[in-house]
Amino acid sequence: MSRGFSQRRRRSRKNLVVATANTTTYTKIPFVEADLLLVQEIKSVAAGIESMKKHVRRESKYTQLMTGPSVTTEKGGTSAGVAICATNRNVLGVPKDVCEFSYSLPESRVVLGMYGGLGKAGVVVGSVYLHTNQDLSGENNEILKALAEAVNM
């Protein structure tokens, strides 16, 4: 140290790993390693969400989860369902609704969160699962409009 200045030690930070995965079942989530994971097709209806969260927390390093449950199909199967999974590196919270929105986000197709530690207020993150048998019109267009409105808070 010279001239009365103290040297500050810089914390070393590892890179933030963000991943997205269409897992087709929540049991595959623990196999994807990331700090922040955006998942589509969790295949867990509302009644099974707590069981799904327990499984993911027990089998992986993901401690924070936000989910949108799957829906039951006409044939009795499950479709869609989305999740945001995060390690304890940064806080994952709920974005604030600052106004009444014109469009609604279908919970089985979109989940949004605020991921802290990036910038002063964090960033909005989301997992989106569009209808695969459609182009960007119809239901997909409605999802995209609602998403644009929600992230433009």
Side-chain angles (χ1 to χ4, degrees):
M1 293 192 232
S2 61
R3 298 189 186 151
F5 293 102
S6 64
Q7 291 181 344
R8 284 180 28 185
R9 242 179 132 176
R10 291 195 123 178
R11 254 182 23 189
S12 66
R13 290 183 174 236
K14 68 176 190 166
N15 292 334
L16 176 70
V17 178
V18 179
T20 185
N22 184 319
T23 59
T24 65
T25 175
Y26 70 83
T27 59
K28 294 180 184 175
I29 291 172
F31 297 105
V32 183
E33 292 188 23
D35 297 305
L36 179 65
L37 176 62
L38 311 172
V39 186
Q40 301 81 42
E41 282 205 278
I42 60 172
K43 300 275 178 107
S44 182
V45 294
I49 288 293
E50 288 308 312
S51 175
M52 175 232 149
K53 288 180 177 181
K54 285 179 186 175
H55 172 81
V56 171
R57 287 184 180 118
R58 182 179 65 245
E59 301 294 327
S60 72
K61 62 181 180 176
Y62 300 116
T63 57
Q64 305 172 83
L65 289 95
M66 297 178 74
T67 59
S70 301
V71 293
T72 303
T73 66
E74 291 175 6
K75 294 182 180 179
T78 55
S79 180
V82 289
I84 301 172
C85 306
T87 63
N88 61 2
R89 177 176 175 169
N90 293 328
V91 174
L92 179 64
V94 179
K96 293 181 181 176
D97 287 343
V98 293
C99 63
E100 188 172 320
F101 295 116
S102 302
Y103 299 98
S104 62
L105 290 167
E107 70 174 354
S108 67
R109 299 266 170 191
V110 180
V111 62
L112 297 175
M114 286 296 297
Y115 190 66
L118 302 173
K120 290 183 180 182
V123 294
V124 176
V125 295
S127 181
V128 179
Y129 183 60
L130 296 176
H131 296 272
T132 56
N133 59 349
Q134 298 179 17
D135 58 15
L136 295 180
S137 62
E139 290 177 299
N140 285 338
N141 190 13
E142 294 301 308
I143 291 170
L144 293 173
K145 284 182 200 175
L147 186 60
E149 182 181 48
V151 298
N152 193 28
M153 319 184 237

